[in-house]
Amino acid sequence: MKRLLIDVNPIVPYFVSGKVNGIGRTTLELIQALARVPNLPFEIMLYSQNMKGIGGCNTGLPFKSRHLYLPYRPEVDKLLSRFPVREWFTGYDLMHITHNFEYVHCPERCVLTIHDAMFFSYPESFLGHDFARENYPKLAKKVKAIITCSENSKREIVEYMQIPDEKITVCYWGYNHELFFPREWTPNKYTGNRPYFLSVSCDIGRKNTISVLRAYELLLKQNPQNDLVLVWRNPPIDIKEKYTTSPFAGRIHFVSNVTDEELGRLYSSATAMFFPSKYEGFGLPVLESMASGTPVITCNNSSLREVGGDAALYVEPEDIHSMAHIMEQFENSDLDISAIKKAGIEQASKFSWDTCARQTIEVYKRCLEL
């Protein structure tokens, strides 16, 4: 039986701190969904690399794992790629690189997941996008197949990286049904019994959380019922100082270190979730919010319309007056909120990690000639 090696290095932080970025989260969800598929026509092996021994063996999944006790750093991986070390160590027939780029000895034996082409269409140099623009296309041209998570990302990969359309397969992400579902409203430790608007995955760059703050600042002049909760790991000091002092004191809440379970509860009890991002490869918060029965306000750009469909409410990223007006409509119950929630749940039901896994398996089978 042929062997598929899945690079699970992005999930390692989850087993260290309980938290992981979007790439790690989607990698973990994918391998968990693959484990639910019976009678796979190939063997799956999980590959990890670090000095602590943390990786595939920590998942509890019924897959073999191989761990290389070397530092997981670019300079080490670049050196490894000069020799068939992974090939010898694991004996793989096909390797799935789940995180945009890796130094590999045999790229022609790899499937590559490219999550987006933001490094071309919305470059941010502090995220290492200069390196990405130079190196990602080189690998993408050599690998056997590419997987991405939206039609928008596929179009941009074709356009910016000059990759043939037929080499790329769109496998939409899903959401965790055990975490994100409609629940009864419950008080929380941030706003108590007061209702609240929510924004997650915050920053002042492309996530554009500053627009939500400015819109809520306009709404505050009307002494609204709803507070504003921002799930923001590390807000800039000047932003936090401004928006936690008078006249915003007690109304705007900066929240960090949120568990997945707490995030699910925050979604489901929010009056609405604001996600005015300027660019997304997919937009997990939009999907998770809709699945939780929460109205979503987002932007009609990049992949966000693919995820939000006709269920989300759309604004321009900088249009704080429209955002404030929508907040006011929720305040005054001027919208058919039950219809918006129902449409969101129906839209979310179109996305599933099990479907993503089945589509990904078809890519593996083609590459393995099964």
Side-chain angles (χ1 to χ4, degrees), residues 9 12 45-58 65-70 89-90:
N9 283 296
V12 169
M45 177 178 285
L46 308 179
Y47 170 78
S48 51
Q49 176 185 322
N50 55 68
M51 296 302 291
K52 295 182 178 181
I54 301 171
C57 61
N58 298 88
S65 62
R66 288 288 185 275
H67 186 87
L68 195 59
Y69 282 87
L70 286 173
F89 184 56
T90 65

Side-chain angles (χ1 to χ4, degrees), residues 40 43 78 109 142 201 222 299 360:
L40 289 170
E43 177 188 37
K78 193 171 185 178
R109 289 167 59 183
K142 295 178 181 178
S201 190
Q222 303 177 30
C299 299
T360 303

Side-chain angles (χ1 to χ4, degrees), residues 85-363:
V85 175
R86 292 187 188 92
E87 291 77 3
W88 168 80
F89 184 56
T90 65
Y92 72 81
D93 297 289
L94 181 70
M95 179 179 180
H96 184 180
I97 303 167
T98 57
H99 47 98
N100 295 321
F101 178 82
E102 183 60 271
Y103 291 107
V104 288
H105 183 71
C106 297
E108 66 278 3
R109 289 167 59 183
C110 293
V111 172
L112 174 66
T113 292
I114 301 178
H115 294 260
D116 55 60
M118 179 176 67
F119 41 91
F120 281 106
S121 57
Y122 198 91
E124 294 180 304
S125 58
F126 71 96
L127 292 176
H129 287 178
D130 294 340
F131 175 90
R133 285 193 300 275
E134 180 181 353
N135 292 281
Y136 289 13
K138 296 176 184 176
L139 177 63
K141 288 179 169 65
K142 295 178 181 178
V143 297
K144 200 158 188 128
I146 293 169
I147 294 171
T148 194
C149 53
S150 68
E151 291 290 346
N152 182 74
S153 290
K154 178 177 180 177
R155 285 192 297 270
E156 292 191 344
I157 292 167
V158 170
E159 177 183 354
Y160 292 117
M161 302 172 72
Q162 302 299 300
I163 304 298
D165 179 274
E166 61 273 13
K167 189 175 182 177
I168 308 167
T169 300
V170 174
C171 299
Y172 284 118
W173 291 341
Y175 66 94
N176 189 320
H177 292 246
E178 295 180 359
L179 290 172
F180 307 113
F181 58 90
R183 314 174 195 228
E184 293 293 325
W185 191 93
T186 56
N188 64 81
K189 60 185 177 183
Y190 311 109
T191 70
N193 288 309
R194 294 194 305 276
Y196 58 92
F197 299 119
L198 178 68
S199 189
V200 302
S201 190
C202 299
D203 71 30
I204 59 173
R206 68 183 173 93
K207 300 292 186 182
N208 191 34
T209 310
I210 193 66
S211 286
V212 182
L213 281 164
R214 289 171 177 164
Y216 187 73
E217 187 174 348
L218 294 177
L219 184 72
L220 265 182
K221 297 174 183 178
Q222 303 177 30
N223 191 26
Q225 301 175 61
N226 283 272
D227 284 7
L228 176 63
V229 174
L230 305 167
V231 179
W232 199 338
R233 183 176 61 86
N234 190 26
I237 293 175
D238 59 331
I239 295 289
K240 192 169 183 179
E241 286 181 348
K242 174 182 177 180
Y243 287 104
T244 54
T245 55
S246 181
F248 313 107
R251 302 307 307 268
I252 297 177
H253 311 269
F254 292 85
V255 177
S256 61
N257 298 318
V258 173
T259 65
D260 287 344
E261 176 68 23
E262 187 177 7
L263 180 61
R265 293 190 178 279
L266 283 172
Y267 274 135
S268 61
S269 291
T271 300
M273 199 281 289
F274 285 77
F275 191 70
S277 178
K278 297 178 180 179
Y279 182 95
E280 292 295 320
F282 183 79
L284 273 176
V286 173
L287 177 59
E288 292 168 349
S289 233
M290 292 189 302
S292 302
T294 303
V296 172
I297 298 86
T298 188
C299 299
N300 188 13
N301 62 47
S302 54
S303 64
L304 291 169
R305 171 69 73 164
E306 292 178 62
V307 180
D310 294 331
L313 304 178
Y314 295 94
V315 294
E316 292 299 315
E318 308 290 353
D319 191 351
I320 63 173
H321 291 281
S322 289
M323 285 184 222
H325 178 62
I326 292 173
M327 290 177 180
E328 185 179 351
Q329 289 180 301
F330 278 104
E331 281 279 320
N332 299 329
S333 299
D334 291 337
L335 298 167
D336 190 343
I337 296 174
S338 62
I340 295 172
K341 290 183 174 185
K342 180 181 178 183
I345 293 169
E346 290 177 355
Q347 175 68 10
S349 70
K350 300 174 183 178
F351 298 85
S352 161
W353 279 114
D354 289 336
T355 299
C356 179
R358 289 194 296 271
Q359 293 170 337
T360 303
I361 287 167
E362 292 304 311
V363 177

Side-chain angles (χ1 to χ4, degrees), residues 19-90:
K19 299 177 180 62
V20 73
N21 64 15
I23 292 176
R25 190 169 174 181
T26 54
T27 299
L28 183 58
E29 292 284 1
L30 174 62
I31 61 174
Q32 287 173 338
L34 289 170
R36 294 192 291 268
V37 179
N39 304 317
L40 289 170
F42 46 79
E43 177 188 37
I44 290 181
M45 177 178 285
L46 308 179
Y47 170 78
S48 51
Q49 176 185 322
N50 55 68
M51 296 302 291
K52 295 182 178 181
I54 301 171
C57 61
N58 298 88
T59 64
L61 298 176
F63 300 134
K64 294 180 179 179
S65 62
R66 288 288 185 275
H67 186 87
L68 195 59
Y69 282 87
L70 286 173
Y72 184 58
R73 294 201 294 264
E75 58 269 25
V76 175
D77 292 343
K78 193 171 185 178
L79 179 62
L80 283 178
S81 71
R82 298 173 58 184
F83 311 96
V85 175
R86 292 187 188 92
E87 291 77 3
W88 168 80
F89 184 56
T90 65

